[in-house]
Amino acid sequence: MIIQDTLFVLWLLAAGPVWAAIGMFLLPSVNKGSADKDQISTTTLQIAGVISGFALGPLGIGLFYFEPALIRRTTLSAGIVLTVFVSSQVLARVIDPELPSGLWLILAGPLWAALAAYFLPRQYRAVEANDQNVLTAAALGGFAIGPLIFGLMWQRTPKISRDWMIALGSLGAWQIYTLFAIHNPANPCVASPFHVTYLTQQTANGIVIGAIYSLMAVGLTLIYSVQGIVSFAHGQLYMVGGYFSFYFLMHSSNFLSDLTGAEISINPILGIPVAAVIVFIMGALFERFFLKPMHEGLIERVSEYAILITFGFGFFIEYTTLAIAGPFPQRTDRFIEIRRFTLQRAQITDDFAFGPINIIGDRAFAMVVGVILIFALLYFLQRTWTGRALRATSQDRQAAAVTGINPTNMNTLSFGLGSMLAAMSGAALIPIFAWVPWVGAEMVGRSYVIVVLGGLGSVPGALLGGIIVGIVEALGAGCHPDPSRGAAYKEAFALVIFALVLLLKPTGLFGREQT
Amino acid sequence: MKRNALFISLIVLLAMTTLLPVSVLQADGHCEFADETITIGGLAPLSAPGAVAGGVAMDWAFNQAADDINADCGVQIDGVNYQIDVVTGDSEGSPERGQAVTERLIQEDQVDAMVGVYHSAVGLATMGMLEANQIPTVFSEPWNDNVSANGIREFDGAPPRFEDGIDHIFRISPASSMVGSVVVDWLLSLGVDDVVLIVENTDYGQPAAADEAARFEAAGATVSKIDVELGTEDFVPILSRIQARAEAPDVIRILVTGETSFNLTQQMSELGIAPTEDTICVTNQFAFQSDQYWATVPDGNYCAFNRVGIIPSLFSDAAVELNAKYEEAWGDIIPSFAMASYDAVYILADAMERAGSSSDAAAIVAAIEATDLELSQGRYYFDYGAHNPDLPEGTPAFMWHQWPDPIVTVMQYYEPGQSGLEAAVVYPEVYQTHGSSYIVPGTSP
Amino acid sequence: MAFFKRFESTIDNGIGRRRFGYIVLGLIILFFLWFPNDSSQSNYAKTVFISGFFYAIMASSWALLAGIAGQFSFGHMAFMGIGAYVAGLIARDGIVFATLGIAISPESISAIGAIIIGTLIAGLVGLVIGWLLLRLRSAYLALFTIAFSELFRIMMLTEYDYTGGSNGLSLRPLLQIADVDTARQVEYYLMFGLLIVCLLVMHWVANSPIGLFLRAMREDEDAASALGVNVVRYKILIFVFTSMIVGLAGAVFYSDVGSERIIPEQLEVLQMSLIIAYAVIGGMESLVGAAAGAFISRYLLEATREVVIALPLGLTTSDGSGAFVWETGAWRYALFGVIMVFTLRYMRNGLLHPIITWFSGRDLIMQETVSKRKSDDDYDDQPEAGDE
């Protein structure tokens, strides 16, 4: 075990992590007076110690040790130099700077988005201006117009309205689209004259599948709005809903066939209520036994407990299903005997035609089912006493309790209903996808994206979020510059959106402001 | 209170070992067996993230073979009957687990020989250990070209590298190049020149796609490759992208396994991309299990697929019987890897009988090399080994200890709901059952 | 029961429970040190122990991050993967900064150098992610880290030209010992040593003022901040610290110590969920408990693959043997899920907690962490039932 790399050893001796650690402990301890005068916090001192020790070893530490006044400026410049260096390294590998996109990356793009997102909200807070939406606007602005956003927002700190964000967001989107057109002229998303049809087709794909995704996400959001927890068993409840529908249809059609002697098949739409009832009961029972104590103050750190206990519940469901149903894929009959709906090609002018647009028949049906169910839920929440009680509980538990609503029952109801919605979307999708016990994993990941995008707790947000995620996935896979990788990264597109929303606007599109 | 908690915790920890049993091993009473048994180790993915469906079928085949051999008085060595016992280890589809479990089988279960594996990555990872411990091994399902006598870790095309001349690993599954060449030859004979490969990004999909793409390109066809992740359900966006091309491709070849391939095939035919008059749909061996296939791909009629193993119309009695047993157990047609796994145990038992020993690795290896045995998949023999060490120029190095003719055929469904056993064999010509090398959608042979 | 009582009082009157606890702990450590020298044990048993040590590091560092610091991260496996993948890529491709003219050839980087760089990069990514996570709490944090982890896995799988895709990536072997038995012995001690060192360092952190601050932040961030705890610094610090520990563990484990290659499947959410389950069963707020939980759970999951039940009273099954054999398959994971749920509900501090408590003679964890949730206006005004 000899370290063969002499350069590496030299660096380890003269600088490197050891000196970084020394710097971290040494710097904050010294020259307090000078540091206090310049109002340098201990954190800054430590960071400076780490950086200088790591890069220059004793030399760097010594410099700051005797001249703390240099620290702030040097650390800042070092940070900027490092950022520019690393990003130029990355950019040089990814993109040729001669190309328009290289220019764009220098003049605008993610680097400026990060800088703006870091500095502008600080400036707003420093002058005590209203900093609502500033983070989002700054990031979008840096992305779209680069340093100009500093000019717009630094001195006068205007109040950021929704129009700002829409304008900046569309500008950024337009830039990306233009860059696509320049770099990748053969891409079907930009290649005239087919791209209008193609983009419409992909958007339609996204809307259809997105509306189906929403149904599941609505359940998640309902549970969150009443109980304030995220159910990590949602994917497994979705999966098991599909299986309940499958077994119900199989056994009942066998039973009827035996009874009548003729081959009888049952439309899978009848499986939806069956799965809904069973999983509602499952969810409600689970809530009674495992989540209720949480609301009675018997459990500490409620949100962690909720994550873990629902997670364990899902784990149990998944493996029990695997043990019973086996790993072989299943599927029910289809809803309707129409393979696809096609909007025929229409020649609009001599050199421009629109169409054909194809939508798979069963999917369109499932979308309709999903949308009807979501509106039924909205009707229930808005117009019935129980639904109003649920909403009241979600808004103010104590006020609701005062008016005679039993919050404990509302908790159970919300978890049961949320689980039921997952099961219903499972039962609605088993005619469309091959079903295996681990089918929930991919789907639930997407539901998390949807609810966070729409705003945790908002039902219309979940519907819109589902459609947006559907469209993003469709366009991402459809327009990815490398056709061979587009589909493999399909899941990743939604995850990127998710990460961005969490970082820039955790309340999502329709979420309540967090406290 | 605290003491109660202590006892509860002990009770819960012990609860795992006090559950009720379900299954019972069967054995027949008419043979006199020696006290010792011959233990063969099996390696298959029995839990996620491995391909569980494949693993349980392999495990079933190993045990079925052992039961059938024991029912026939086991392995006879020097006039004594030995019972055979297969211990299956769970590789979980991971090389790390595969290695650990192989080590356990060798050291704790003291296996005399090994059969398996499903994932090529597991095969590659365990070969070094099997070689070092001199365990005669018959691999029945890994397809990667590198899994063969020559390729420990990386394939370099060199001849066998074990100095003492003993090389313990045999393979009766095809190398992926052997499969790819049949499919590509078939498609080229139909005159295709615009190919779309849809490929899962795994150790099965990528090497197979690279091999097929190279063959197509060598023949002047254009190839576009699309990677997908296993577990994807919705393929419509990428299929729309194919549909948006100015001209429909001549063929879409699916190198994706399991339920992911079923979802893909179904969505492809629902959208009217393939199979159509313009575009040939070629999927893979998973389509042969027709119950699963039709349950999940109701619109998949006229899709062709490659299949390994003897064609159904030539099934021997042994194969028919084995298929019946599989159908009884799992309600579907037997997949080729279950057949191969079953045969692998028989090959080992036969070699032990001829070697006259269950523990002399060198003798068993020599006996396997000399195998000439008619089993469910056909006649087994090995062209190149210590008995015939020089591979002629131009013969790929993976032919060392490789069963040279796993029959690879292209089959095609032509009626919805058709059993895999009745599907038409369209290529190679010698095996054609319906006198046609491609059934155009909408027609029947 | 009576025997147990007698035993208890003997201990109390004799050396005292605490000291007895140290003796038991010492015996356990001695057992682990002696184990590879037991010639009746196969190399496989050592392999199982080696991966047990690895998962023990993962579970206990997760317990530090999630249990003690309250940062509920699902990204632990991803940081492990970053450590291993960076070490592997550097040992394969070297380091090239074209613009600076720096090029370090892969040959000049030793396995240790690669591991150190892997660990540092894991820490660096931990720093960035930790900084991004500052604003997020509980469920949001969990979701974000799931997304991060999945993105990382998909990238490792899809960019197979660089990462080897699902074939995995080989790291430079850390030990080059030809003899298998000696090698396994050295690997065993290496991994065990790493576990002990990690546990000691983490124990030191958890019991230092930093640990106290972390616990205070976990219970009430605003209050802790008001009392002068630099919330930002400690949150980032603990994130970087645990990322480096798992990065190190991953880089070492996959440098042919426990396994010869890292595959993307190892980074799946399922693997992460197993680590969480280990930590929960062992005790989320106790480092040793979580480590032991991982070790015992893995052992039990392995041991219960096939359950053999000997029938009493000379009964026999239909094939004449005296025992039933049950292939547990997926059922054992289902049972594992049940145990996890019940542990959470009824024994929040893990199944090992009563044993640890018995030895220490007092309720170590509960006293420090009892929080008065009943005053929280989010919840009903029902009376709080006593916990113990």
Side-chain angles (χ1 to χ4, degrees), chain B residues 243-284:
Chain B
Q243 213 164 20
R245 292 165 39 140
E247 292 209 358
D250 294 336
V251 60
I252 296 181
R253 161 77 161 140
I254 298 175
L255 288 164
V256 182
T257 56
E259 75 276 3
T260 315
S261 85
F262 295 145
N263 276 329
L264 173 57
T265 317
Q266 170 64 11
Q267 288 166 26
M268 203 163 79
S269 61
E270 278 175 337
L271 282 174
I273 297 174
T276 61
E277 279 168 30
D278 299 328
T279 310
I280 304 170
C281 154
V282 189
T283 173
N284 53 42

Coordinates of all heavy atoms in Angstrom, one line a residue, chain B residues 243-284:
Chain B
Q243 N -42.8 8.0 -35.3 CA -43.9 8.2 -36.3 C -43.8 9.5 -37.1 O -44.2 9.6 -38.2 CB -45.2 8.3 -35.5 CG -46.4 7.7 -36.3 CD -47.6 7.4 -35.3 OE1 -47.7 8.0 -34.2 NE2 -48.5 6.6 -35.8
A244 N -43.1 10.5 -36.5 CA -42.9 11.8 -37.1 C -41.9 11.7 -38.2 O -41.7 12.7 -38.9 CB -42.6 12.9 -36.1
R245 N -41.2 10.6 -38.4 CA -40.1 10.6 -39.4 C -40.8 10.7 -40.8 O -41.9 10.3 -41.0 CB -39.3 9.3 -39.3 CG -38.5 9.3 -38.1 CD -38.0 7.9 -37.7 NE -37.6 7.1 -38.8 CZ -36.5 6.3 -38.8 NH1 -35.7 6.3 -37.8 NH2 -36.2 5.6 -39.8
A246 N -40.0 11.2 -41.7 CA -40.6 11.4 -43.1 C -41.0 10.0 -43.7 O -42.1 9.9 -44.3 CB -39.6 12.1 -44.0
E247 N -40.2 9.0 -43.4 CA -40.6 7.7 -43.9 C -40.6 6.7 -42.8 O -39.7 6.8 -41.9 CB -39.6 7.2 -44.9 CG -39.6 8.1 -46.2 CD -39.2 7.2 -47.4 OE1 -38.8 6.1 -47.2 OE2 -39.3 7.8 -48.5
A248 N -41.6 5.9 -42.8 CA -41.7 4.8 -41.7 C -40.5 3.9 -41.8 O -40.0 3.6 -42.9 CB -43.0 4.1 -41.8
P249 N -39.9 3.5 -40.7 CA -38.7 2.6 -40.8 C -39.2 1.2 -41.3 O -40.4 0.9 -41.2 CB -38.3 2.5 -39.3 CG -39.4 2.9 -38.5 CD -40.2 3.9 -39.3
D250 N -38.2 0.5 -41.8 CA -38.6 -0.9 -42.3 C -38.8 -1.9 -41.2 O -39.6 -2.8 -41.3 CB -37.5 -1.4 -43.2 CG -37.3 -0.6 -44.4 OD1 -38.3 0.1 -44.8 OD2 -36.2 -0.6 -45.0
V251 N -38.1 -1.6 -40.1 CA -38.3 -2.6 -39.0 C -38.0 -1.9 -37.7 O -37.2 -1.0 -37.6 CB -37.3 -3.8 -39.2 CG1 -35.8 -3.3 -39.2 CG2 -37.4 -4.8 -38.1
I252 N -38.8 -2.3 -36.7 CA -38.5 -1.9 -35.3 C -38.1 -3.1 -34.5 O -38.9 -4.1 -34.4 CB -39.7 -1.2 -34.7 CG1 -39.9 0.1 -35.4 CG2 -39.3 -0.8 -33.2 CD1 -41.1 0.9 -34.9
R253 N -36.9 -3.1 -34.0 CA -36.4 -4.3 -33.3 C -36.4 -3.9 -31.8 O -35.7 -2.9 -31.4 CB -35.0 -4.6 -33.8 CG -34.2 -5.5 -32.9 CD -34.6 -6.9 -33.0 NE -33.5 -7.8 -32.5 CZ -33.8 -8.9 -31.8 NH1 -35.1 -9.2 -31.5 NH2 -32.8 -9.7 -31.4
I254 N -37.0 -4.7 -31.0 CA -37.1 -4.4 -29.6 C -36.1 -5.3 -28.8 O -36.3 -6.5 -28.8 CB -38.5 -4.7 -29.1 CG1 -39.5 -3.7 -29.8 CG2 -38.6 -4.5 -27.6 CD1 -40.9 -4.0 -29.5
L255 N -35.1 -4.7 -28.2 CA -34.2 -5.4 -27.3 C -34.4 -5.0 -25.9 O -33.6 -4.4 -25.2 CB -32.8 -5.1 -27.7 CG -32.4 -5.8 -29.0 CD1 -31.1 -5.2 -29.6 CD2 -32.2 -7.3 -28.9
V256 N -35.6 -5.2 -25.4 CA -36.1 -4.8 -24.1 C -36.7 -6.1 -23.5 O -37.4 -6.8 -24.2 CB -37.1 -3.7 -24.1 CG1 -37.5 -3.2 -22.7 CG2 -36.5 -2.5 -24.9
T257 N -36.6 -6.3 -22.2 CA -37.1 -7.5 -21.6 C -38.3 -7.2 -20.7 O -38.6 -6.1 -20.4 CB -36.0 -8.2 -20.7 OG1 -35.6 -7.2 -19.8 CG2 -34.8 -8.6 -21.5
G258 N -39.0 -8.3 -20.4 CA -40.0 -8.3 -19.3 C -41.2 -7.4 -19.7 O -41.5 -7.2 -20.8
E259 N -41.8 -6.9 -18.6 CA -43.1 -6.2 -18.8 C -42.8 -4.9 -19.5 O -43.7 -4.4 -20.2 CB -43.8 -5.9 -17.4 CG -43.2 -4.9 -16.6 CD -42.0 -5.4 -15.7 OE1 -41.6 -6.6 -15.9 OE2 -41.5 -4.6 -14.9
T260 N -41.6 -4.4 -19.5 CA -41.3 -3.2 -20.2 C -41.4 -3.4 -21.7 O -42.0 -2.6 -22.4 CB -39.9 -2.7 -19.9 OG1 -39.7 -2.8 -18.4 CG2 -39.6 -1.3 -20.3
S261 N -41.0 -4.6 -22.2 CA -41.1 -4.8 -23.6 C -42.6 -5.0 -24.0 O -43.0 -4.7 -25.1 CB -40.3 -6.1 -24.0 OG -41.0 -7.2 -23.7
F262 N -43.4 -5.6 -23.1 CA -44.8 -5.8 -23.4 C -45.5 -4.4 -23.5 O -46.3 -4.2 -24.5 CB -45.5 -6.6 -22.3 CG -44.9 -8.1 -22.3 CD1 -44.8 -8.7 -21.0 CD2 -44.5 -8.7 -23.4 CE1 -44.4 -10.0 -21.0 CE2 -44.0 -10.0 -23.3 CZ -44.0 -10.7 -22.1
N263 N -45.2 -3.5 -22.6 CA -45.8 -2.2 -22.7 C -45.4 -1.5 -24.0 O -46.2 -1.0 -24.7 CB -45.3 -1.3 -21.6 CG -46.1 -1.5 -20.3 OD1 -47.3 -1.8 -20.4 ND2 -45.5 -1.4 -19.1
L264 N -44.1 -1.7 -24.4 CA -43.6 -1.0 -25.6 C -44.3 -1.6 -26.8 O -44.8 -0.9 -27.7 CB -42.1 -1.2 -25.6 CG -41.4 -0.8 -26.9 CD1 -41.7 0.7 -27.2 CD2 -39.9 -1.0 -26.7
T265 N -44.4 -2.9 -26.9 CA -44.9 -3.5 -28.1 C -46.4 -3.2 -28.2 O -46.9 -2.8 -29.3 CB -44.8 -5.1 -28.0 OG1 -43.5 -5.4 -27.5 CG2 -45.0 -5.7 -29.3
Q266 N -47.1 -3.2 -27.1 CA -48.6 -2.9 -27.2 C -48.8 -1.4 -27.6 O -49.6 -1.2 -28.5 CB -49.2 -3.1 -25.8 CG -50.6 -2.6 -25.6 CD -51.6 -3.4 -26.5 OE1 -51.3 -4.4 -27.2 NE2 -52.8 -2.8 -26.6
Q267 N -48.0 -0.5 -27.1 CA -48.2 0.9 -27.4 C -47.9 1.1 -28.9 O -48.5 1.9 -29.6 CB -47.5 1.8 -26.5 CG -48.1 1.8 -25.1 CD -47.2 2.4 -24.1 OE1 -46.3 3.2 -24.4 NE2 -47.4 2.0 -22.8
M268 N -46.9 0.4 -29.3 CA -46.4 0.5 -30.7 C -47.5 0.1 -31.7 O -47.8 0.7 -32.7 CB -45.2 -0.4 -30.9 CG -44.3 0.0 -32.0 SD -42.7 -0.9 -31.7 CE -43.1 -2.5 -32.3
S269 N -48.2 -1.0 -31.3 CA -49.2 -1.4 -32.3 C -50.5 -0.6 -32.1 O -51.2 -0.4 -33.1 CB -49.5 -2.9 -32.1 OG -50.0 -3.2 -30.8
E270 N -50.8 -0.1 -30.9 CA -52.0 0.7 -30.7 C -51.8 2.0 -31.5 O -52.8 2.5 -32.1 CB -52.2 1.1 -29.2 CG -52.9 0.0 -28.5 CD -53.0 0.3 -27.0 OE1 -52.2 1.1 -26.5 OE2 -53.8 -0.2 -26.3
L271 N -50.6 2.5 -31.6 CA -50.4 3.8 -32.4 C -50.3 3.5 -33.9 O -50.2 4.4 -34.7 CB -49.1 4.5 -31.9 CG -49.2 5.2 -30.6 CD1 -47.9 5.7 -30.2 CD2 -50.2 6.4 -30.8
G272 N -50.3 2.2 -34.2 CA -50.2 1.9 -35.7 C -48.8 2.1 -36.3 O -48.7 2.4 -37.4
I273 N -47.8 1.9 -35.5 CA -46.4 2.1 -36.0 C -45.9 0.8 -36.5 O -45.4 0.7 -37.6 CB -45.5 2.6 -34.9 CG1 -46.0 4.0 -34.5 CG2 -44.1 2.7 -35.4 CD1 -45.2 4.6 -33.3
A274 N -46.1 -0.3 -35.7 CA -45.6 -1.6 -36.2 C -46.4 -2.6 -35.3 O -46.8 -2.3 -34.2 CB -44.1 -1.8 -36.0
P275 N -46.7 -3.8 -35.8 CA -46.5 -4.2 -37.2 C -47.5 -3.7 -38.2 O -48.7 -3.7 -38.0 CB -46.6 -5.7 -37.1 CG -47.5 -5.9 -35.9 CD -47.3 -4.8 -35.0
T276 N -46.9 -3.1 -39.3 CA -47.8 -2.7 -40.4 C -47.2 -3.2 -41.7 O -46.2 -3.9 -41.7 CB -47.8 -1.1 -40.5 OG1 -46.5 -0.7 -40.7 CG2 -48.2 -0.5 -39.2
E277 N -47.9 -2.8 -42.8 CA -47.3 -3.3 -44.0 C -45.9 -2.7 -44.3 O -45.1 -3.3 -45.0 CB -48.3 -2.9 -45.2 CG -49.5 -3.8 -45.3 CD -50.6 -3.3 -46.1 OE1 -50.3 -2.6 -47.1 OE2 -51.7 -3.6 -45.9
D278 N -45.7 -1.5 -43.8 CA -44.4 -0.9 -44.0 C -43.3 -1.4 -43.0 O -42.2 -1.5 -43.4 CB -44.5 0.6 -43.9 CG -45.4 1.2 -44.9 OD1 -45.5 0.6 -46.0 OD2 -46.1 2.2 -44.6
T279 N -43.8 -1.6 -41.8 CA -42.8 -1.8 -40.8 C -43.0 -3.2 -40.1 O -44.1 -3.5 -39.7 CB -43.0 -0.7 -39.7 OG1 -43.0 0.6 -40.3 CG2 -41.9 -0.7 -38.7
I280 N -41.9 -3.8 -40.0 CA -41.9 -5.2 -39.3 C -41.6 -5.0 -37.9 O -40.8 -4.2 -37.5 CB -40.8 -6.1 -39.9 CG1 -40.9 -6.2 -41.4 CG2 -40.7 -7.4 -39.3 CD1 -39.7 -6.8 -42.1
C281 N -42.4 -5.7 -37.0 CA -42.1 -5.6 -35.6 C -41.4 -6.9 -35.2 O -41.8 -8.0 -35.4 CB -43.5 -5.5 -34.9 SG -43.5 -6.1 -33.2
V282 N -40.2 -6.7 -34.6 CA -39.4 -7.8 -34.1 C -39.2 -7.6 -32.6 O -38.5 -6.7 -32.3 CB -38.1 -8.0 -34.8 CG1 -37.5 -9.3 -34.5 CG2 -38.3 -7.9 -36.3
T283 N -39.7 -8.5 -31.8 CA -39.4 -8.4 -30.4 C -38.5 -9.6 -30.0 O -37.8 -10.1 -30.9 CB -40.7 -8.2 -29.6 OG1 -40.4 -8.3 -28.2 CG2 -41.7 -9.3 -29.9
N284 N -38.5 -10.0 -28.8 CA -37.5 -11.0 -28.4 C -38.1 -12.2 -27.7 O -39.4 -12.3 -27.7 CB -36.4 -10.3 -27.5 CG -37.1 -9.6 -26.4 OD1 -38.0 -10.1 -25.8 ND2 -36.7 -8.4 -26.1

